[in-house]
Amino acid sequence: TDKASRILAASAAPNPGNAIPSEAKNIPAESVSSRLRDAIVKGAGPNLECDIQEALNEYGTAVAIIEGPLMEGMERVGKMFGEGKMFLPQVVKSAKVMRDAVQILEPYMNNDEDGVSRPKVVIATVKGDVHDIGKNIVRAMLEAGGFDVVALGIDVDPQTIVDTAKNEGIKIIALSGVLTLAVDSMKDTIEAFKAAGMRDDVKIIVGGAPVTETVCASVGADEWALSPQKTVSVCQGWAS
């Protein structure tokens, strides 16, 4: 009817009083903490730097951001990976976003009001093994967990690991390997710490595909892990 048409037309007409400002349409509806978590999970952070700056205003310190939305995002990634809902290439992308975020926050960590220095960890893929994807994920999560990580790369001989720990006064060592032969290299590295008279001064965690509780005991490590979350949790316990 004509009356119905007039009512529909009126309801569709612009209402200046209720109009949404054009600039508001570009404002993300979700909170900055949600955006940071999503950036980690999706492995993409096009507005990462801006979001981190906003988060600094909200959280106050870099450590609070790392321990809050960034770690929450990585924990979700780890859970999805463990459940088979996320695959390794996606996890690598998430780890890169995490590392990018930590790098942006790095200058602010030194200025945090508590002034507490971060505990250090040496991480390396042992001699004879060149795999580093899993190690790099662990590194990113350790950095996000508040550690200063000295990453020695791949195919690292035992003496280099021992010398680095000695020269830098590092008490936590993370050894990684994917190949079966890495087990022997892990044992050789731990034996090198014994030969240097340093074994009682350090804690050593081993991880990677061939590592089990039995392997951990046989190489003489203190702990073992197959997930980044456990590695971070163990290292945090040792650092406390």
Side-chain angles (χ1 to χ4, degrees), residues 15-184:
N15 183 349
N18 295 327
I20 299 174
S22 59
E23 63 271 16
K25 296 177 183 178
N26 297 321
I27 299 176
E30 68 270 30
S31 66
V32 66
S33 58
S34 294
R35 297 200 301 272
L36 288 174
R37 281 194 296 269
D38 287 348
I40 297 293
V41 174
K42 294 175 181 177
N47 301 312
L48 188 61
E49 191 156 1
C50 291
D51 287 340
I52 292 248
Q53 293 299 328
E54 182 179 339
L56 280 167
N57 292 331
E58 181 176 320
Y59 283 84
T61 68
V63 171
I65 297 170
I66 290 171
E67 293 179 345
L70 295 181
M71 276 301 290
E72 289 166 9
M74 282 306 296
E75 286 170 1
R76 185 176 173 191
V77 167
K79 182 178 180 182
M80 292 173 69
F81 181 65
E83 294 173 349
K85 296 177 181 178
M86 182 178 281
F87 300 100
L88 192 57
Q90 296 165 293
V91 176
V92 172
K93 290 181 180 178
S94 294
K96 183 182 184 306
V97 173
M98 171 63 91
R99 290 194 63 191
D100 289 345
V102 172
Q103 187 173 12
I104 293 169
L105 287 167
E106 187 74 33
Y108 301 95
M109 291 181 188
N110 296 330
N111 294 328
D112 281 352
E113 58 188 5
D114 55 21
V116 177
S117 61
R118 293 187 294 159
K120 287 186 174 184
V121 178
V122 172
I123 188 168
T125 299
V126 294
K127 183 69 177 176
D129 201 318
V130 295
H131 295 83
D132 67 350
I133 292 177
K135 174 180 66 64
N136 289 340
I137 294 171
V138 172
R139 174 187 175 181
M141 290 193 66
L142 282 168
E143 289 174 336
F147 287 90
D148 183 359
V149 181
V150 178
L152 297 181
I154 59 175
D155 191 25
V156 184
D157 65 271
Q159 197 59 48
T160 297
I161 298 171
V162 171
D163 289 345
T164 301
K166 181 178 181 179
N167 294 336
E168 304 221 15
I170 299 174
K171 306 297 185 183
I172 300 175
I173 316 297
L175 304 178
S176 174
V178 172
L179 303 176
T180 303
L181 59 81
V183 173
D184 289 336

